[in-house]
Amino acid sequence: MRVLVTGATGYIGSRLVPTLIDAEHEVVAAMRDPEKKSSFAWGDQVDTARFDLDDHDTFDTATAGVDAVVYLVHSMDEGDFVRKDAEAAERMAAAAEKNGVERIVYVSGLIPDDSTELSDHLRSRLQVEETFLASSVEATVLRAAIILGSGSTSFELVRRMTERLPVTPVPTWMNHKVQPIAVADVVRIVAASLRPDPITGSFDIGGEEVLTYPELLGTYARVAGLRRPRIPVPFAPVSLVGRAVAAITQMPQGTVTSLVESLDHEMIVRRGNAATEEFADPSTPLIGLIESLERSITDSARSGTEARVDPQKAADTDPSWAGGVVTLQDTVIRHRPTGLMSRLALGVVRS
């Protein structure tokens, strides 16, 4: 199958491409600047297509001659992203119909049962998936909440909040359940959804463990060998918490605020609707929470975007704000950043 991967240079896309190549798909990596493919080990194994959300013509040219589209782009940190993402989804659906694309696979977010008061982030994801499901192209929507792996935005929030603060302030409204999943499992499920006979509709992606978000922070602290007592913070407004978290983590404010707002909901898999029941290989169990965290912070000489390398690992092509990799020595985190930050000296964070 000839597969167009939009967001191929992004976090999930860059780790998905080598898996699709191993599955003997022909991959077309869509990106704003096709020259960027040289940054990836898989660059010489793919075709490229220029793709820009702001350039309408690129939707038609990128989808020409492909059998399937894996849609991984969103604009959470770019102004009115709700409108922008909705328009982009409409253009992609129209281009796919025009060019005879057989299938669209979209990685969305877990949507709470009560969809009347969604955050902008979740509302945008729901609008995009509804657009794809309403088109004439067969569509598979995979809903994921917190994706764990070095370089993942959700994971980096957990990592940075835990490592940078001696105590963990917990707004009372954040005590909702979450069901994180390892990026290695996400990549495996997305690849499996490109089966010869499509299964259409929306399916939830989640790991085996269900816990509250503060418990997730505490679990990371234990894995990292840190002592981080939690302090309840009542009456903390969602918007204020989002800005504070962005300032502490030094991550993009729009993205962080959108994700924090989502924590005001239960983010767990719908019963009887798990994607793992349809797409996951039963002989390969999902990665457990502890193992996922350990693999995400263990040093590695190779990049998580390389073929047959653990996708949980860091990559030099991850965003410059991504946390990199750490080596745990007793209660000391020895930190080696990736990307642009890799030129800095080794840092040490003590509990």
Side-chain angles (χ1 to χ4, degrees), residues 77 99 106 116 157 235 252 323 343-344:
D77 203 45
N99 286 317
Y106 171 51
T116 58
L157 278 177
F235 312 119
R343 299 183 181 90
L344 301 179

Side-chain angles (χ1 to χ4, degrees), residues 51 94 102 120 128 249 258 273 308 324 340 348:
F51 181 75
E102 299 173 3
D120 286 347
V128 171
T249 61
S258 296
N273 189 255
R308 290 175 290 281
L340 297 175
V348 176

Side-chain angles (χ1 to χ4, degrees), residues 24-315:
E24 300 185 347
H25 292 293
E26 294 180 50
V27 176
V28 181
M31 55 190 78
R32 287 181 179 176
D33 179 9
E35 295 299 321
K36 286 187 67 176
K37 77 171 188 175
S38 62
S39 302
F40 297 89
W42 43 255
D44 60 355
Q45 298 176 270
V46 303
D47 293 329
T48 58
R50 184 173 175 274
F51 181 75
D52 188 338
L53 294 184
D54 295 321
D55 186 342
H56 297 189
D57 292 339
T58 62
F59 286 77
D60 281 341
T61 55
T63 53
V66 302
D67 303 305
V69 174
V70 178
Y71 195 80
L72 301 171
V73 294
H74 52 83
S75 319
M76 282 197 299
D77 203 45
E78 300 183 16
D80 185 6
F81 68 86
V82 176
R83 175 191 58 79
K84 186 172 182 177
D85 281 355
E87 292 176 351
E90 291 169 0
R91 288 196 292 271
M92 175 54 72
E97 290 176 343
K98 174 184 175 181
N99 286 317
V101 175
E102 299 173 3
R103 193 178 320 176
I104 296 175
V105 177
Y106 171 51
V107 177
S108 182
L110 286 181
I111 307 298
D113 290 334
D114 182 8
S115 59
T116 58
E117 297 184 2
L118 296 179
S119 66
D120 286 347
H121 166 55
L122 294 178
R123 181 162 57 90
S124 175
R125 292 297 181 97
L126 181 59
Q127 288 178 349
V128 171
E129 68 175 64
E130 287 175 342
T131 296
F132 290 146
L133 291 171
S135 76
S136 63
V137 179
E138 301 277 11
T140 301
V141 175
L142 302 171
R143 294 175 168 181
I146 294 176
I147 297 177
L148 300 178
S150 184
S152 161
T153 305
S154 298
F155 175 77
E156 296 301 338
L157 278 177
V158 171
R159 187 212 300 261
R160 290 192 170 211
M161 284 295 294
T162 306
E163 291 181 1
R164 294 186 175 206
L165 295 176
V167 298
T168 303
V170 179
T172 52
W173 52 263
M174 202 179 281
N175 283 292
H176 290 102
K177 293 179 180 178
V178 295
Q179 196 166 351
I181 183 169
V183 69
D185 286 327
V186 174
V187 166
R188 183 162 57 94
I189 292 170
V190 172
S193 72
L194 293 168
R195 57 199 293 169
D197 298 321
I199 299 179
T200 60
S202 65
F203 302 89
D204 293 351
I205 298 177
E208 297 293 342
E209 291 97 335
V210 176
L211 66 170
T212 66
Y213 191 74
E215 288 172 342
L216 176 59
L217 294 172
T219 302
Y220 176 82
R222 289 194 298 275
V223 169
L226 300 171
R227 296 184 295 273
R228 294 294 184 261
R230 298 196 295 268
I231 300 178
V233 181
F235 312 119
V238 176
S239 59
L240 177 61
V241 172
R243 291 194 297 272
V245 171
I248 293 167
T249 61
Q250 294 296 293
M251 295 169 63
Q253 181 171 316
T255 300
V256 170
T257 301
S258 296
L259 293 177
V260 168
E261 288 175 350
S262 302
L263 297 176
D264 197 18
H265 304 279
E266 298 275 307
M267 303 298 286
I268 57 178
V269 169
R270 290 169 289 176
R271 182 169 297 178
N273 189 255
T276 51
E277 298 173 6
E278 299 288 351
F279 302 109
D281 182 353
S283 66
T284 306
L286 295 174
I287 300 170
L289 176 61
I290 299 295
E291 180 184 348
S292 175
L293 294 172
E294 289 175 340
R295 285 164 55 173
S296 300
I297 62 175
T298 303
D299 202 353
S300 173
R302 298 183 64 189
S303 168
T305 62
E306 294 181 44
R308 290 175 290 281
V309 175
D310 188 358
Q312 300 296 127
K313 305 299 185 185

